[in-house]
Amino acid sequence: MRERTHPELAWGVDHPELKQALRFCLTAGAFNIFWFVLATPQQILTVLVKTHLGGSAFLLGILVGGVNLAGALNLASVILVGVFRERRMLWFWTTLFARLCAFAVAGAAFWVAAGGPKNQAVLIVIIASVASSIGNALGASAWWAWMGDLIPENIRAGFFGKRSALVQTINMVFFFLATLMIDRFLPVVFVVYGCLYLIAGLGGTLEVLTQIRAPDPLQGKVPKLDLSTFLVPLKDKTFRRYCLTVGSFLLSFNLVAPFLAPFIVDPHGAGASPLWLGIGFVISQGTWVLVVPHWGRLMDSIGRRAVVVVGGFFVVAWVAYLFMNSTNYWYLIPLASFIVGLLAPAYWEGITQFMVTLSHPDHRTAYAGWFWTWFGLTAAVGPVIGGAAYDLLEATPMVIGQVSFQPLQVLIVAAILLTSTAQLTLARMRSPQRPTDSVRSLLSTLLSAETLQTITGNVLFWRRPPRE
């Protein structure tokens, strides 16, 4: 294990303030999801931009790419932490700005409802979303370094698993209700969007006001930043390899991800009503809630890397979209959603936990900054390339023999092949802190009778996972 230069600054599981601090983190996460569901480029925002405001696939790619490109400002976050020697308040002000941007999206929706032009409102939505991501990026590195010091290593993945289960439960209910409202009140859909984004802004503001109550173990003791400290992560060969594999996955993933929800509701695609977005989401998030605590415990017991490798293969669920149409979406959407809910939490929760594990305790802000910067840059490239390729393939369809392939089908095949390559590369990388962190050990544990019985019992009877 990597030792901290100043061990007296690290918190242990028996610290008297830890339990209360974790409660603040849990509550803040619950408020965060109201903002996250709506103000990040996921299904509701992408459908708003492309379907209701009439944005093109390329414009949608610009939105998603711009949001992810803002991740480059995580390096600015590292510099700001080093200059001000402060993490909590930096996170507070930058994140508060990010959450308040949801009110601008609400204003744009109400403007269109009152007769405003859609082509101008869509620009406001894009600008507000990118601005929100800028504020988020400026505080993200500080937050992850703060949480890395606040939550002890041996319980961190388990805690985030429980936090994710709580957050995704709220996420599931809120998303379903949001899509139900959009579906049932289509004649006044922009009024509905306006109200939803008011909730997003309020929830995000409450998140910031709650999270700031958790203490920072390095309050007033953040090490001073110099150039050598700033570049420490780049000298770490294992960390560099990890960033490259995650970046390859994100670029490939985002070739397709922004276009799946619009395809589901497109009359020329699957032709489903917006309510099916909510149905699929409930299935995927409900499964997520049930399995994510188990993934968290597996990360703590076996290791983070193997969990990330296995979880990344959730993209195989996209095979269902290759054959989806207006006659079979009713069973292919639930099937794809279940596979995503089963495996995706292992990947999305795991990549951040493995990043913190790889980071040196004295340089966590720098590690988080470089990771999230690379995350944002690579995730930004994918949707722009995907959007341009989508429009090109729509104008000039790919034809092999007598078969004509739709743009989404071509992108899905390419994305699955590329993401699988990235995961196989990660599988060959050793975990420096835990040599037993192997895919073989993980699969052996997952397929054991005890694990299958525990997970099956939780799914069938909604049992809470045992306390550690």
Side-chain angles (χ1 to χ4, degrees), residues 11 32 46 51 67 146 208 222 316 322 348 355 380 411 419 446:
W11 276 29
N32 164 269
T46 56
T51 303
V67 166
W146 173 16
V208 175
V222 175
V316 298
L322 296 176
W348 296 118
M355 178 271 292
L411 292 177
T419 53
L446 286 174

Side-chain angles (χ1 to χ4, degrees), residues 133 143 291 375 448:
S133 298
W143 189 84
V291 302
F375 186 105
S448 68

